[in-house]
Amino acid sequence: MSNALHVTAPQGQPSLAFVREVDAPVAAVFAAHRDPDLLARWLGPHGYEMVVTEYDFRSGGRWRYVHRNPAGDEFGFHGCFHTVRDDELAVQTFEFEVAPDHVSLDTVRFEPLEGGRTRLRGSSVFQSVEARDAMVASGMERGMREGYERLDVVLTAPGA
């Protein structure tokens, strides 16, 4: 796929931002974030299986899922949705269960582009620069890039 993921992590700030364009309309991209069955097909690195144990994609809802790598190791994540507005915005907390008490506030905006395309513009605010740096060092960007590559495939599948 030709749409690159751009991640910026300003030095000395506990935040990062990303931008990624998708060759599908906002409604389809938003649906792929809202529907837990679709989400499980694309979120995360290549080769990982995702099991969604809770997913209530609405303002005030909660979520939890587990990623399982090819070796069978499991990694749990959970949080709650602060604000969800259809085809526009999702704001949520994010906690990696291996590093409890380190919670980020994540925002993704769904921006319509000409030609029925979508720009995802997101940000994460961490509790410290060290927490942000640990997330970056964990391979987060690779996981995001591969996840969005999988999203491209999901959105071009028959019936998508």
Side-chain angles (χ1 to χ4, degrees), residues 2-81:
S2 61
N3 295 317
L5 171 68
H6 301 279
V7 177
T8 55
Q11 188 171 9
Q13 296 182 20
S15 63
L16 60 84
F18 74 90
V19 176
R20 173 62 154 75
E21 294 183 2
V22 180
D23 296 331
V26 165
V29 177
F30 189 84
H33 284 74
R34 178 182 54 224
D35 182 329
D37 294 331
L38 288 176
L39 187 79
R41 292 172 50 196
W42 68 266
L43 186 65
H46 293 305
Y48 280 57
E49 178 185 356
M50 180 176 169
V51 177
V52 179
T53 61
E54 181 176 15
Y55 202 75
D56 186 9
F57 192 64
R58 62 176 178 83
S59 297
R62 301 174 55 88
W63 63 271
R64 183 177 186 278
Y65 59 79
V66 175
H67 275 139
R68 184 175 304 122
N69 69 15
D73 301 316
E74 295 187 344
F75 309 94
F77 305 86
H78 70 270
C80 55
F81 295 105

Side-chain angles (χ1 to χ4, degrees), residues 85-134:
R85 288 197 296 265
D86 285 356
D87 300 338
E88 181 185 345
L89 171 77
V91 180
Q92 69 180 54
T93 60
F94 179 94
E95 185 171 0
F96 183 23
E97 294 173 356
V98 171
D101 305 328
H102 294 278
V103 180
S104 62
L105 182 64
D106 300 348
T107 301
V108 62
R109 296 182 186 280
F110 302 79
E111 302 174 357
L113 299 174
E114 289 187 23
R117 302 179 70 242
T118 301
R119 177 181 298 123
L120 295 170
R121 186 181 305 276
S123 64
S124 296
V125 179
F126 297 83
Q127 294 170 305
S128 67
V129 172
E130 293 78 16
R132 191 277 315 262
D133 290 348

